[in-house]
Amino acid sequence: MVIFLVLLVSLACLVLLVFGLSLIGHKRYEKRVEQGTAKPDETSPFEVTKEVPEECCGQHATCERDSLLAAVSKEIIYYDDEELDEFCGRESDQYADKEADLFANVFYELKEVEVAGWVRSLQLRGIEIPDQIKDEVLLIVRERRFRPASSGDHSNDKVKK
């Protein structure tokens, strides 16, 4: 019983210490804001932000932007590819070459960082990628997912034909 009480008091002290340090940090932040010396991206320790960064934040095992799992995001985003909706329900090996070219035209116009989102959008719409371009599409997705951060930012790269 004594050990439980000591642990409970220790936990309460720890919570109070963290709250006290956060309060001091908040007061210092308010003072910098009043003086105009606060950095533009600086926030108070008590401020909760819900802003999602455009680039991957690195805090998750898989960025939602790069995940091909339809369960991650249910939002369907069109990439100027509304004409592909007519292929809903068709198997990937049932496309004629001219039909596969419609997918290829959209694919080659995408930025490299948009490819995973486009594939996810197709999945959510029930559209399979034609076998004629599937390997190339998945190669781009894999390269983006496993490219080391030190290799530079290629966010403006277009998919090359």
Side-chain angles (χ1 to χ4, degrees):
M1 181 68 178
V2 173
I3 295 175
F4 176 73
L5 190 57
V6 169
L7 288 175
L8 189 60
V9 170
S10 298
L11 181 63
C13 289
L14 182 63
V15 168
L16 288 174
L17 178 67
V18 169
F19 179 75
L21 291 174
S22 296
L23 186 62
I24 291 169
H26 177 72
K27 294 294 182 185
R28 288 182 178 173
Y29 167 76
E30 283 182 338
K31 188 175 183 181
R32 285 192 300 276
V33 168
E34 286 176 13
Q35 295 172 348
T37 59
K39 297 176 186 172
D41 61 342
E42 185 178 7
T43 60
S44 166
F46 291 136
E47 188 174 329
V48 177
T49 59
K50 294 192 180 201
E51 182 179 311
V52 177
E54 185 176 318
E55 291 299 318
C56 183
C57 63
Q59 295 180 3
H60 306 94
T62 304
C63 280
E64 179 178 348
R65 184 189 74 216
D66 292 334
S67 175
L68 294 180
L69 300 174
V72 174
S73 175
K74 297 292 185 193
E75 180 182 3
I76 294 175
I77 300 172
Y78 284 88
Y79 294 81
D80 292 328
D81 64 346
E82 292 82 2
E83 69 276 8
L84 301 180
D85 284 342
E86 71 180 83
F87 300 111
C88 179
R90 188 178 298 190
E91 298 293 322
S92 64
D93 61 353
Q94 296 178 344
Y95 289 98
D97 288 340
K98 286 189 178 191
E99 294 170 331
D101 287 344
L102 293 173
F103 285 84
N105 290 338
V106 174
F107 171 63
Y108 293 129
E109 290 298 317
L110 295 172
K111 291 181 180 177
E112 194 175 284
V113 296
E114 295 175 325
V115 175
W118 177 62
V119 173
R120 184 174 54 244
S121 173
L122 292 175
Q123 287 175 339
L124 290 170
R125 291 156 50 194
I127 303 169
E128 290 191 28
I129 298 172
D131 285 345
Q132 292 93 321
I133 68 165
K134 186 182 287 187
D135 289 340
E136 194 172 354
V137 170
L138 294 178
L139 177 69
I140 297 295
V141 172
R142 277 189 221 108
E143 283 179 356
R144 284 291 303 167
R145 183 170 287 159
F146 297 113
R147 178 180 292 139
S150 62
S151 68
D153 179 20
H154 300 284
S155 60
N156 292 322
D157 290 357
K158 291 278 187 181
V159 176
K160 301 210 176 3
K161 185 173 183 178

